Amino acid sequence: MRSYFSHFYEGQQNDWMTFEELAKTVSVDAETGRKTVKFNPEKFRREGDFVISNDEDVLHLCFSDDKVVRVPEGVKAIGRSAFFEDLCPNVKHIILSSTVVGIAQSAIEGYTVEELTIKNKYIYISDWAFDHCPSLRFIHHIPAQLTIHVNEVDGRYARPVRYEAMELSKQEDDGDYDPNDLPF
């Protein structure tokens, strides 16, 4: 396992403030029963059940009630607390688009999350990306054709324990890879 390299997420505190600002505006529409959120359209946009920054394409908030959540193409990073269990309480499987190149500290905080699928070969994952995510069991890294089995540590953190080759259909295989390029 390689040691982590310095990345701009390690010093980002604005992500947490952005999450708090957005999360406090989430409400449920009485007519439709769907969650809504208020935000400045000059700074953010809504794509389905996601709020994404316009300038950096960072996903700051997911408020889906689905079990399987697919991050939209074009999102470059997952910000702190983007997948917070109170706002997406049913999510079991998160599928990241191929455009996601980074996952911030504490980006996924949910006791229901069991699986994560990564489609980008070169993705940065912060040390504490899966803080408060003890149910996470599998990280599927499609380009490397690996499933990483993870277990909880101290009832709170998810850490890799075993790697297993996965069989992919031809449509999922996007070319060759070097196992030493894995981000974790």
Side-chain angles (χ1 to χ4, degrees), residues 120-181:
N120 188 330
K121 181 177 180 178
Y122 299 106
I123 188 168
Y124 174 80
I125 301 174
S126 294
D127 281 341
W128 304 106
F130 312 119
D131 191 13
H132 299 288
C133 202
S135 296
L136 184 65
R137 293 293 174 253
F138 306 104
I139 299 173
H140 308 289
H141 193 269
I142 301 297
Q145 299 181 14
L146 282 177
T147 293
I148 297 102
H149 295 258
V150 295
N151 281 339
E152 56 88 16
V153 176
D154 298 329
R156 179 175 163 183
Y157 312 107
R159 292 289 178 247
V161 293
R162 183 169 55 97
Y163 301 87
E164 178 179 290
M166 63 198 284
E167 294 293 323
L168 295 176
S169 67
K170 293 285 185 205
Q171 64 196 29
E172 290 178 302
D173 185 7
D174 64 355
D176 61 335
Y177 72 97
D178 177 355
N180 295 321
D181 286 339

Side-chain angles (χ1 to χ4, degrees), residues 24-96:
K24 70 182 176 185
T25 70
V26 174
S27 62
V28 177
D29 184 290
E31 292 180 23
T32 65
R34 289 185 46 109
K35 293 177 185 170
T36 62
V37 63
K38 295 178 185 173
F39 56 84
N40 179 346
E42 291 178 12
K43 292 182 177 182
F44 304 100
R45 68 184 182 276
R46 179 175 173 173
E47 290 185 30
D49 292 330
F50 304 99
V51 176
I52 303 163
S53 66
N54 289 329
D55 58 344
E56 296 177 323
D57 294 316
V58 174
L59 188 153
H60 286 284
L61 186 67
C62 172
F63 50 94
S64 175
D65 287 325
D66 296 336
K67 289 183 179 183
V68 177
V69 176
R70 297 176 187 276
V71 172
E73 286 293 324
V75 170
K76 293 181 182 173
I78 309 300
R80 283 184 84 156
S81 300
F83 289 93
F84 186 68
E85 67 183 354
D86 291 347
L87 299 177
C88 48
N90 302 322
V91 67
K92 292 190 178 296
H93 187 178
I94 300 169
I95 302 171
L96 303 180

